[in-house]
Amino acid sequence: MHLDALPHQNQRDTASVTLKDIAAHAGVSRSTVSLVLRESPLVAEQTRLKVQHSIKALGYVYNRGAAALRGSRTSTLGVVVYDIANPFFGAMVAGIDAALNREGYVSFLANSEDSPARQQRFLERMREHSVDGILLCPAEGTDPGLIDTLDNWGMACVQVLRHVAEPPFDYAGANFHQGVCQAMDHLVRLGHQRIAFLGGHSEHSATRERWQGYRESLEHHQLTYQRLLRSTVTRRDGVDMITQLMAESPAPTAVVCHNDMVAFGAMLGLKRLGLVPGVDCAVIGTDDVEEASLSEPSLTSIATHPYAIGEEAARLALRRIANPEGAREQVVLAPRLQIRDSCGAARPTSDSTLPNRAAGTHA
Amino acid sequence: MHLDALPHQNQRDTASVTLKDIAAHAGVSRSTVSLVLRESPLVAEQTRLKVQHSIKALGYVYNRGAAALRGSRTSTLGVVVYDIANPFFGAMVAGIDAALNREGYVSFLANSEDSPARQQRFLERMREHSVDGILLCPAEGTDPGLIDTLDNWGMACVQVLRHVAEPPFDYAGANFHQGVCQAMDHLVRLGHQRIAFLGGHSEHSATRERWQGYRESLEHHQLTYQRLLRSTVTRRDGVDMITQLMAESPAPTAVVCHNDMVAFGAMLGLKRLGLVPGVDCAVIGTDDVEEASLSEPSLTSIATHPYAIGEEAARLALRRIANPEGAREQVVLAPRLQIRDSCGAARPTSDSTLPNRAAGTHA
DNA sequence: GCTAACTTTTAGATCAATCTAAAAACAACT
DNA sequence: AGTTGTTTTTAGATTGATCTAAAAGTTAGC
């Protein structure tokens, strides 16, 4: 056999098998093969088997790109988060992944680092790739008009964790308001009168909901001590804020924190002041990241179920893609207070993880 | 105006603007518009401006899917990691993202959860989406033949952090061997004689390199105490292993850990035993995750620079895509021992983060 | 004015699928 | 045999870009 039978073909070493090749091999038309691939009931059983055999024999690989060009779906979703390095988002992305995978979808991930400009670039790029929809955790300072813009682009958009647009929108997140109230109730039940709230960056829904929960709870329990410290939400912020608070007089006897990172920082700050978290000052975090059960003392935390939020968000997006005109939905997961040692129960080395699980959903 | 002028058109409300539309608007051919889009020097300045104006005027969106069908690139990369919920991978993905973004690339992310079967499914799905290449952190138990298979698929593949194939392959990771040696040297310098190594799952390169570093270092320093405990690599494993070790006689005076999670667990275990990390037993971790500087005591750790590894891996993949036949490369970043309080310096509340930074690269 | 040598522009094929509308095959009735 | 009605199959147009090879337009040289 002559090696140079096809002179200029060395580029195409990975000559890909197409519908045409299968059609030829099976002795049918391209159209029939296409129908078989899409599991159409139109094609006769016998033909179906014959074609499927050829598909295997030739090692065919479905070309989603080509299919997307003619059809209307790309089976692709864009996911934009603002801090992928945070373990909370790791778990959330894992949940998204799981839900999408079940439906044959695949996701583009982008990290806006809380910059609206980066976020904008990513959204445009995803549009060029014609994703079917977007899961958006809006960056700090996102223009509320963005959601309408995406809608005009004909792109299904589900806001996650935070929302910036006016009411009729798709959203998946946790009920932060309720979570903070649960934490406050628990602290009041333990006899605390001076409870501070630590952290929260600025004006998006996730922060507003927490603060509102804090203020309403104070009012509900008729507590007069009120101390709400704004900050970014890192460990270091936790250290700084608790240090400042404990120098005040009167100092709080308990703090509820914007997230677990701030709470870990607060506990560290207390220790550096020679105080014992859970004894000298109760600490409650938010999110219940894995580490919460393994700190010293173990951290009481408002569990927000990131994996479940990711799953719900992805499912909602798939629903919206299937039915673009359907009514907008808000999936808000009920948080659950995971009680451990940092809020006063103070049983040093016991594993106080409760076995029961409850995650309510309501539209 | 009659609303039903176009009877069955209500589906196409998002009638997309194409090259043809721009061509008509600007009074040139589709080919010319295509050339303008790709910034070809062939087209005359005047025409270029005219076309660019039309592009803006009509709000054109480049359709990468269509371009990919005819051209050979999709500007798309697949990334497969085994534990996205781990903060190390969060940082790594952020680095990948940054490097890809500079080149107009976008990435699919998938989480294998260390399951070869899930990994396989993801790779097949990415193939259907015709990604230009893959960044693969191989799952535990990956068949070494997989890399060849990917090669046969004509897909650029860069292994990251771990590698499973036979020598000529593309790889980006850290020099774990060197990192462990640095940690051992430091401990020996501080006078430690009984040093244990904690954790490592099984038979892939990342674990083998660490263990080999440990063994060679023992030999080099002529230490006779040798204790290497296998385990998965979570906090809980750290707690369990240190508890077991401290009950032995003689107990070690220092431990080097597979990663920071194990190290945090080891410190927690020591505290639960009433011992002080850094005083009763030195602890060194690997990775230098953000939390390391904010634990009590702060953790000495072998910094492996996940963000930089991500960037390097992505750049290497882009190089391979541009030149598929080029020589395979290994980018191995030099780790740096970040010395803090958990290995004996024991200055309780000081911030001992060193200001100098050094990250060497060698092929 | 004519040819040669550029510089620009373009028509039409192509990529790999889907979709539409019609043709072919087959069975079931008068 | 002819009509009708299903069930299967298919040809050919279509999607939105790129690519090739050729055409059209410019400029220069003699």
Side-chain angles (χ1 to χ4, degrees):
Chain A
M1 246 196 193
H2 288 278
L3 279 175
D4 48 0
L6 295 167
H8 298 295
Q9 289 290 75
N10 59 338
Q11 204 70 326
R12 296 195 185 171
D13 48 349
T14 325
S16 57
V17 178
T18 75
L19 283 200
K20 210 168 89 181
D21 302 312
I22 298 171
H25 187 269
V28 296
S29 73
R30 265 165 31 249
S31 312
T32 306
V33 179
S34 177
L35 291 173
V36 171
L37 282 176
R38 286 174 292 150
E39 300 178 340
S40 161
L42 285 180
V43 39
E45 183 65 9
Q46 215 182 356
T47 328
R48 208 171 57 75
L49 291 172
K50 194 170 57 180
V51 171
Q52 281 174 335
H53 176 259
S54 296
I55 286 173
K56 284 218 167 154
L58 299 185
Y60 170 74
V61 178
Y62 186 66
N63 184 331
R64 287 199 129 86
L69 183 56
R70 190 60 175 81
S72 51
R73 297 282 149 75
T74 55
S75 299
T76 274
L77 207 76
V79 178
V80 183
V81 302
Y82 46 82
D83 182 16
I84 185 62
N86 179 331
F88 179 90
F89 285 103
M92 196 185 82
V93 167
I96 290 170
D97 222 49
L100 291 186
N101 197 36
R102 275 176 232 130
E103 304 297 325
Y105 265 70
V106 110
S107 70
F108 286 119
L109 179 78
N111 186 22
S112 70
E113 291 169 24
D114 252 339
S115 147
R118 274 177 66 85
Q119 175 174 278
Q120 184 69 25
R121 274 214 309 285
F122 282 127
L123 291 175
E124 278 163 15
R125 189 147 291 155
M126 286 174 176
R127 191 184 181 198
E128 291 185 355
H129 280 279
S130 10
V131 295
D132 294 341
I134 295 271
L135 295 185
L136 179 66
C137 304
E140 194 79 50
T142 297
D143 174 20
L146 179 64
I147 308 302
D148 285 336
T149 305
L150 289 173
D151 206 52
N152 288 337
W153 288 0
M155 207 172 272
C157 172
V158 175
Q159 292 177 82
V160 188
L161 288 177
R162 305 169 172 177
H163 50 81
V164 295
E166 288 308 303
F169 53 68
D170 286 314
Y171 169 74
N175 191 333
F176 298 112
H177 181 283
Q178 186 188 342
V180 171
C181 288
Q182 283 174 19
M184 295 290 288
D185 290 349
H186 182 71
L187 288 171
V188 169
R189 213 176 300 128
L190 292 175
H192 290 277
Q193 305 264 1
R194 293 196 304 280
I195 308 171
F197 190 94
L198 303 193
H201 202 194
S202 99
E203 293 309 309
H204 50 69
S205 63
T207 297
R208 274 201 309 276
E209 286 175 21
R210 284 172 169 95
W211 289 357
Q212 204 178 334
Y214 173 64
R215 292 200 185 100
E216 284 180 17
S217 200
L218 287 182
E219 199 166 333
H220 175 252
H221 292 293
Q222 301 179 317
L223 299 176
T224 52
Y225 179 92
Q226 172 166 350
R227 204 77 182 75
L228 195 163
L229 274 71
R230 290 165 170 254
S231 77
T232 51
V233 291
T234 65
R235 273 172 215 263
R236 197 162 296 275
D237 295 308
V239 174
D240 295 346
M241 286 188 284
I242 199 76
T243 306
Q244 178 192 334
L245 273 182
M246 297 318 279
E248 293 178 358
S249 172
T253 63
V255 293
V256 178
C257 302
H258 182 278
N259 67 11
D260 287 344
M261 300 300 120
V262 172
F264 291 134
M267 293 208 292
L268 177 59
L270 287 170
K271 286 189 231 172
R272 288 189 177 168
L273 292 169
L275 302 172
V276 180
V279 175
D280 299 307
C281 181
V283 177
I284 295 185
T286 305
D287 286 347
D288 191 28
V289 300
E290 237 182 298
E291 187 190 341
S293 65
L294 288 165
S295 59
E296 191 62 29
S298 60
L299 179 68
T300 292
S301 186
I302 302 161
T304 51
H305 313 112
Y307 188 94
I309 290 177
E311 276 187 304
E312 290 294 345
R315 285 214 288 263
L316 176 47
L318 294 176
R319 250 177 280 149
R320 183 65 54 246
I321 289 165
N323 174 20
E325 306 307 327
R328 300 299 181 243
E329 292 177 51
Q330 274 95 46
V331 178
V332 179
L333 298 190
R336 185 170 113 276
L337 189 66
Q338 177 64 264
I339 298 168
R340 297 203 186 82
D341 302 333
S342 69
C343 60
R347 292 157 296 169
T349 48
S350 77
D351 183 3
S352 55
T353 304
L354 297 172
N356 63 314
R357 292 189 131 261
T361 311
H362 66 93
Chain B
M1 248 202 191
H2 287 277
L3 278 174
D4 48 0
L6 295 167
H8 298 294
Q9 288 289 74
N10 59 339
Q11 204 70 325
R12 297 196 184 170
D13 48 350
T14 325
S16 57
V17 178
T18 75
L19 281 201
K20 210 167 90 181
D21 302 313
I22 297 172
H25 188 269
V28 297
S29 72
R30 265 166 31 250
S31 312
T32 305
V33 178
S34 177
L35 290 173
V36 170
L37 282 177
R38 286 174 292 149
E39 301 178 339
S40 162
L42 284 179
V43 36
E45 183 64 10
Q46 213 182 357
T47 326
R48 209 171 55 76
L49 291 172
K50 195 170 56 178
V51 170
Q52 281 174 334
H53 176 258
S54 297
I55 286 173
K56 285 218 166 152
L58 300 185
Y60 170 74
V61 178
Y62 186 66
N63 184 331
R64 288 199 127 85
L69 184 56
R70 190 60 175 84
S72 51
R73 299 281 149 75
T74 55
S75 301
T76 273
L77 207 75
V79 178
V80 183
V81 303
Y82 46 81
D83 182 15
I84 185 62
N86 180 330
F88 179 89
F89 284 103
M92 197 185 82
V93 167
I96 290 170
D97 223 49
L100 290 186
N101 197 36
R102 273 175 234 131
E103 304 296 324
Y105 265 69
V106 109
S107 70
F108 286 119
L109 178 80
N111 186 24
S112 69
E113 291 170 25
D114 253 339
S115 147
R118 274 178 67 84
Q119 174 174 280
Q120 184 69 25
R121 274 214 308 285
F122 282 128
L123 292 174
E124 278 163 15
R125 189 146 291 155
M126 286 172 176
R127 192 185 180 198
E128 291 184 355
H129 279 279
S130 10
V131 296
D132 294 341
I134 296 270
L135 295 186
L136 179 67
C137 303
E140 195 78 50
T142 298
D143 173 21
L146 179 63
I147 309 301
D148 286 337
T149 305
L150 289 174
D151 206 52
N152 289 337
W153 288 0
M155 207 173 271
C157 172
V158 174
Q159 293 176 83
V160 188
L161 288 177
R162 306 167 171 176
H163 51 81
V164 296
E166 289 306 304
F169 53 67
D170 286 313
Y171 170 74
N175 191 333
F176 299 111
H177 181 283
Q178 186 189 344
V180 171
C181 288
Q182 283 174 18
M184 295 290 288
D185 290 350
H186 182 71
L187 289 170
V188 168
R189 214 176 298 128
L190 293 175
H192 290 277
Q193 304 264 0
R194 294 197 303 281
I195 308 170
F197 190 94
L198 303 193
H201 202 195
S202 98
E203 294 309 309
H204 51 68
S205 63
T207 297
R208 275 202 308 275
E209 286 175 21
R210 284 171 169 96
W211 290 356
Q212 204 178 334
Y214 173 65
R215 293 200 185 98
E216 284 179 17
S217 199
L218 288 181
E219 198 167 333
H220 176 252
H221 292 294
Q222 300 179 319
L223 299 175
T224 52
Y225 179 92
Q226 172 166 352
R227 203 78 182 76
L228 195 163
L229 274 70
R230 290 165 170 254
S231 77
T232 51
V233 290
T234 65
R235 272 171 215 263
R236 197 162 296 276
D237 294 309
V239 175
D240 295 346
M241 286 188 283
I242 199 76
T243 307
Q244 179 193 334
L245 273 181
M246 297 317 279
E248 293 178 358
S249 170
T253 62
V255 294
V256 177
C257 302
H258 182 278
N259 67 12
D260 286 345
M261 300 300 119
V262 173
F264 291 134
M267 292 208 293
L268 176 60
L270 287 171
K271 285 190 233 171
R272 288 187 177 170
L273 291 168
L275 302 173
V276 179
V279 176
D280 299 307
C281 181
V283 178
I284 295 185
T286 306
D287 286 347
D288 191 28
V289 300
E290 235 183 298
E291 189 190 340
S293 65
L294 288 165
S295 59
E296 192 61 29
S298 60
L299 179 68
T300 293
S301 185
I302 301 161
T304 51
H305 312 113
Y307 189 93
I309 291 177
E311 276 188 304
E312 291 293 345
R315 285 215 288 264
L316 175 48
L318 294 176
R319 249 176 282 150
R320 183 64 55 245
I321 289 165
N323 175 20
E325 306 306 328
R328 300 299 182 241
E329 292 176 51
Q330 275 95 46
V331 178
V332 179
L333 298 191
R336 186 170 111 275
L337 189 66
Q338 179 63 263
I339 297 169
R340 298 202 185 83
D341 301 333
S342 69
C343 61
R347 292 157 295 168
T349 47
S350 76
D351 184 2
S352 56
T353 304
L354 297 172
N356 62 313
R357 291 188 134 263
T361 311
H362 66 94

